[in-house]
Structures are given as structure tokens and as C-alpha cells.
């Protein structure tokens, strides 16, 4: 999912969080929407004994809703980047709602991948530093 947004996210990644927030609040499709609760539909949670296909189908419907609601938003990339920054240190159970055209589990995956990339870069730099000292 994150590869869809990669070019747009690169352009907003360097912007300060306060600038992103101001842009989203000023120009977001959700701002002033007739039904703000549409961005917080019930999340598809697995129920005991429910077939995996049923959960996948409900998740796909949720993701389609996210893409539909945010599809024409002029600050979709900014909204997603803002959500990723705000949710970066939160537990997985605190991710809710549609932000930047993504479902909570999609943002969780993006945050996880960002954290993993940072850990790998840090490990690589540490290894290079120790080789330079030796």
C-alpha cells in the first residue's frame, strides 16, 4: 500500500508537522463534511469462528470506503504523513479511522516499515562506525 503514496509522501516528508496540520485543517475533504463520522466507520474485526474470507471482504470494503472518501482530497498525502507522525509512537490498538485514504491497519504497516528502516539504517551506521575505529 505504501508504494502508492511514495512519490507524494517524499514531497511532504520534509514539511514540519505544524505546516501539514494547517494544510489538512484548511483544505481537507473531511473538513466541514456533512457526515464527519463517515471517516470513522466501524472497523472490521474478526468474530469467533468467522471465516477469514469474510474478514478480508469487510476489510476490502473499508479500504474502498477510505479511497472513495479521500480520493479527490487535495491534501491526501499531507493527511497521511500527518497521521503517520501522530500515530508513530502509539500502540496498534490506538489507530482508528480513515486518514489520508488509508485504513488503520494500512497505516500500522507503513509505521512498522518506517521503524524497521530506521533500525536497519542505525545498525548499518553502527557497523560502519565500528569498522572505521578498528
Amino acid at each position: 500500500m505504501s508504494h502508492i503514496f511514495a512519490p507524494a509522501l517524499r514531497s511532504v516528508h520534509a514539511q514540519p508537522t505544524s505546516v501539514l496540520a494547517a494544510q489538512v485543517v484548511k483544505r481537507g475533504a473531511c473538513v466541514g463534511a456533512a457526515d464527519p463520522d463517515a471517516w470513522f466507520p466501524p472497523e472490521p474485526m474478526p468474530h469467533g469462528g468467522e471465516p477469514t474470507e469474510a474478514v478480508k471482504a469487510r476489510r476490502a470494503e473499508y479500504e474502498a470506503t477510505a479511497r472513495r472518501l479521500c480520493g479527490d482530497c487535495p491534501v491526501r498525502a499531507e493527511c497521511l504523513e500527518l497521521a503517520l507522525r501522530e500515530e508513530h509512537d502509539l500502540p496498534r490498538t490506538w489507530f482508528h479511522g480513515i486518514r489520508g485514504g488509508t485504513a488503520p491497519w494500512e497505516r500500522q504497516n507503513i509505521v512498522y516499515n518506517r521503524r524497521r528502516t530506521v533500525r536497519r539504517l542505525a545498525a548499518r551506521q553502527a557497523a560502519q562506525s565500528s569498522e572505521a575505529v578498528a
Side-chain angles (χ1 to χ4, degrees):
M1 183 66 177
S2 63
H3 67 281
I4 295 171
F5 300 102
L9 285 178
R10 277 193 287 273
S11 69
V12 299
H13 190 68
Q15 293 183 18
T17 302
S18 60
V19 171
L20 293 175
Q23 289 174 346
V24 170
V25 168
K26 184 177 179 182
R27 300 175 35 222
C30 56
V31 176
D35 182 13
D37 291 336
W39 277 263
F40 293 92
E43 294 174 14
M45 305 302 282
H47 304 294
E50 182 179 29
T52 304
E53 297 78 30
V55 176
K56 286 182 181 180
R58 286 202 324 275
R59 279 187 160 208
E61 183 179 329
Y62 191 104
E63 292 166 8
T65 299
R67 288 188 297 275
R68 181 179 45 78
L69 286 172
C70 302
D72 293 331
C73 183
V75 290
R76 182 177 177 183
E78 290 85 346
C79 182
L80 177 56
E81 178 61 30
L82 181 63
L84 296 172
R85 290 181 191 184
E86 291 175 348
E87 296 172 333
H88 178 77
D89 293 325
L90 296 178
R92 293 176 72 88
T93 57
W94 288 19
F95 287 58
H96 293 290
I98 294 169
R99 298 186 70 184
T102 61
W105 52 89
E106 292 173 309
R107 294 192 308 278
Q108 289 168 358
N109 289 335
I110 296 169
V111 166
Y112 172 81
N113 288 330
R114 282 187 174 187
R115 288 179 184 161
R116 185 179 62 186
T117 299
V118 168
R119 284 193 307 269
R120 286 180 177 173
L121 289 173
R124 187 177 305 142
Q125 289 175 347
Q128 290 172 347
S129 295
S130 65
E131 288 174 6
V133 172

